[in-house]
Amino acid sequence: MQYAVPRGTKDILPADSFVWQKIEAACRKIFALYNYMEIRTPIFESTELFTRSIGKTTDIVGKEMYTFEDRKGRSLTLRPEETAPVVRACLENNLIGPDLLTKLYYIGPMFRYERPQAGRQRQFHQAGVEVFGSNDPLLDAEVIILNLQLLSEIGLKDLEVDINSVGCTKCRPAYRKKLSEYLKDNIKHMCADCQERFINNPLRVLDCKETKCQKYIENAPASSEVLCEECKTHFEKVVGWLDGLMVRYKVNNRLVRGLDYYTKTTFEIVSSKLGAQNAVSGGGRYDGLVEELGGKPTPAVGFAIGLERVIEIMTNDKYQILPAGRQVTNEGRIIIYFATIGEEAKKIGFDMLQKARSRGVSADMDYLGKSLKAQMKVADRAGAQYVYIIGDDEIKKQSAILRNMQTSDQQDMSFDRLFDELKI
Ligand code: HAM
């Protein structure tokens, strides 16, 4: 009996994991440039954390959460996103406070029970940031620029920033009312989900992806029409900064995003190289969430990039990080391979192997009783720079051949000189 990977999940195999490592390294490099520190939270949290923050009427909470009871009957949920867990962790550990700007980042798996398709999985990975403590519109702009710099560091091109303001608790009721009035006449032509959304939370209708609903969404009143003075000024300043920094963006007044916690700025970075799921990244401001989860009122802003989508674009682009044919890179995985012939040579080879490793030099040897020729092949595939070939004669001489795998040069090298000569 063999088992298959669960629907909507994928193994990241050795041939691909180095691509992930490169992307993760780029994330860490850029996050550090902007002075963010890493936070790691558990994969599961109490279910209420997510229902409270993301919102009961959202698709994520309504249909997509992996929720289960533990043996003591507590309701737990695999994290569908990381903003709420980060807020929870900050409150629990006093990481946020007055006169303090807290800049955090994370990289890790998230879980949503969605219909799998290209760019949409049930377990997927996000890299994201959350900043707490400032309502400065420049910070919204900085977060967007960080997002763009990160995607450009990874090598993605032709990205577009979509930006909107969804207002705040002061101006949102007026928008809801205006939207409800508009939808009243049209809702009967829209999908069953939208009819339900219309009753529970009309704003959610704008997030519908059904084709038949799109023309009604496109003609819906824009949130910008009813923004209060504060939200309007904030938005003007954010786009003003983006203009000043020469960032190209498109104002999309229907961008409400799939989570209820947003206030003021919302944004997505989309790529024409993706299909229906074209958002590489999404985020925005959420000035009410910290208070909603039991903390003092604290403004916050953040985003998360979907790493599978980044990889999809890179694959479609035949991006250079992926070697031809998507094979394991040969690029110097190990420095030296000890090829051994016979039991005694194996013993001596293993001593040398451990000596190399203890000096911080990556090294390996054979454990399958392969022939010398086969061992040379393995060494080559591992990208070894050198092979040291030990047999019975070599043990007698206390000296063996050191082969440079790049130049094919071979020289005799005594056992005790090997490490000094190679400066390892
Ligand atoms: P989100 O838009 O739900 O936002 O997700 C962010 C990104 O995660 C999306 O743009 C997409 O690239 C990726 N993503 C989402 N769902 C899937 C899926 N099923 N399969 C593959 N990729 C997916 C959030 O999660 C917010 N927490 C972002 C945020 C941080 N807002 C403020 N701070």
Side-chain angles (χ1 to χ4, degrees):
M1 170 82 178
Q2 284 199 347
Y3 298 95
V5 78
R7 187 166 146 74
T9 69
K10 276 187 187 154
D11 295 311
I12 296 169
L13 301 173
D16 286 328
S17 59
F18 80 97
V19 179
W20 283 81
Q21 286 170 10
K22 286 202 173 186
I23 292 174
E24 285 160 12
C27 291
R28 288 178 201 286
K29 177 179 155 191
I30 303 296
F31 293 151
L33 276 182
Y34 284 76
N35 192 23
Y36 284 75
M37 286 180 19
E38 187 180 17
I39 184 161
R40 301 187 191 198
T41 67
I43 296 292
F44 56 82
E45 297 272 355
S46 70
T47 301
E48 211 192 315
L49 174 69
F50 298 117
T51 45
R52 269 295 273 281
S53 52
I54 301 172
K56 284 202 176 70
T57 58
T58 58
D59 281 357
I60 298 180
V61 170
K63 315 185 207 165
E64 296 171 2
M65 293 209 300
Y66 279 93
T67 298
F68 59 97
E69 276 192 3
D70 72 4
R71 286 168 191 273
K72 289 264 169 67
R74 303 174 192 100
S75 182
L76 299 171
T77 293
L78 298 187
R79 59 184 194 192
E81 62 106 48
E82 186 60 357
T83 308
V86 170
V87 173
R88 197 258 322 125
C90 283
L91 290 174
E92 210 172 332
N93 298 286
N94 291 321
L95 299 186
I96 46 188
D99 283 333
L100 190 65
L101 193 70
T102 308
K103 298 171 111 183
L104 301 169
Y105 82 83
Y106 49 85
I107 303 172
M110 309 292 154
F111 307 84
R112 295 183 194 175
Y113 190 83
E114 293 195 80
R115 198 167 47 78
Q117 60 181 82
R120 196 158 79 187
Q121 289 180 202
R122 291 184 174 167
Q123 175 175 333
F124 60 98
H125 296 77
Q126 287 186 343
V129 305
E130 313 294 349
V131 195
F132 301 95
S134 167
N135 53 21
D136 189 337
L138 180 54
L139 194 59
D140 306 37
E142 194 201 72
V143 159
I144 293 171
I145 288 161
L146 155 61
N147 198 332
L148 285 170
Q149 189 177 346
L150 173 52
L151 294 171
S152 123
E153 169 84 13
I154 295 169
L156 304 195
K157 294 184 206 92
D158 305 324
L159 300 167
E160 185 190 281
V161 180
D162 280 10
I163 189 165
N164 188 26
S165 174
V166 291
C168 65
T169 46
K170 275 184 274 161
C171 48
R172 188 125 8 110
Y175 183 51
R176 256 176 101 123
K177 193 157 163 251
K178 198 159 184 182
L179 195 60
S180 294
E181 272 160 22
Y182 162 81
L183 288 172
K184 209 167 56 202
D185 301 331
N186 298 303
I187 198 71
K188 54 182 177 293
H189 307 295
M190 300 177 80
C191 73
D193 277 353
C194 278
Q195 303 197 2
E196 213 181 303
R197 290 176 186 130
F198 173 63
I199 299 163
N200 296 324
N201 185 356
L203 245 77
R204 293 263 66 88
V205 169
L206 300 183
D207 203 37
C208 181
K209 302 283 179 289
E210 284 288 323
T211 329
K212 74 178 206 181
C213 301
Q214 293 315 305
K215 73 170 184 231
Y216 301 105
I217 292 172
E218 276 159 30
N219 294 321
S223 53
S224 53
E225 292 166 26
V226 284
L227 290 183
C228 64
E229 244 355 273
E230 189 192 322
C231 288
K232 213 167 143 191
T233 315
H234 186 94
F235 189 65
E236 280 163 8
K237 285 196 178 155
V238 175
V239 292
W241 282 114
L242 292 178
D243 287 334
L245 293 155
M246 315 289 272
V247 173
R248 290 209 345 253
Y249 60 86
K250 199 174 86 193
V251 176
N252 172 359
N253 282 133
R254 272 117 212 137
L255 185 68
V256 291
R257 313 242 320 112
L259 308 102
D260 276 353
Y261 49 62
Y262 291 110
T263 55
K264 295 183 179 158
T265 317
T266 52
F267 70 92
E268 281 185 355
I269 298 184
V270 297
S271 163
S272 53
K273 303 213 163 105
L274 290 171
Q277 307 300 318
N278 66 350
V280 189
S281 162
R285 198 162 256 294
Y286 49 99
D287 291 344
L289 185 58
V290 174
E291 193 178 6
E292 178 69 30
L293 294 179
K296 301 226 167 67
T298 309
V301 58
F303 71 79
I305 293 176
L307 297 184
E308 276 76 7
R309 294 195 190 166
V310 166
I311 291 198
E312 200 190 326
I313 301 174
M314 286 163 61
T315 314
N316 293 347
D317 269 7
K318 302 206 173 24
Y319 179 65
Q320 29 119 17
I321 236 177
L322 294 172
R326 296 165 66 77
Q327 303 208 327
V328 181
T329 172
N330 271 349
E331 216 179 276
R333 273 204 350 256
I334 58 170
I335 305 268
I336 187 160
Y337 188 92
F338 292 93
T340 59
I341 309 139
E343 270 312 295
E344 192 55 27
K346 192 171 166 183
K347 225 173 102 199
I348 286 167
F350 188 73
D351 276 350
M352 291 187 175
L353 176 67
Q354 286 308 92
K355 196 169 166 194
R357 288 170 174 165
S358 68
R359 292 173 175 222
V361 173
S362 52
D364 211 350
M365 67 182 284
D366 172 56
Y367 293 95
L368 296 171
K370 283 186 189 274
S371 69
L372 178 59
K373 198 170 152 204
Q375 289 187 52
M376 297 303 286
K377 242 193 215 154
V378 173
D380 189 42
R381 243 183 278 140
Q385 285 175 30
Y386 300 98
V387 179
Y388 197 55
I389 307 163
I390 314 167
D392 289 342
D393 285 352
E394 284 72 20
I395 297 171
K396 267 186 229 136
K397 286 193 296 182
Q398 290 288 297
S399 182
I401 284 176
L402 179 71
R403 182 182 168 90
N404 182 323
M405 296 296 277
Q406 264 127 46
T407 60
S408 301
D409 279 352
Q410 302 202 147
Q411 56 174 313
D412 247 320
M413 180 74 66
S414 72
F415 288 1
D416 33 293
R417 262 185 45 228
L418 176 71
F419 290 97
D420 287 342
E421 200 67 27
L422 285 177
K423 307 254 180 326
I424 55 179

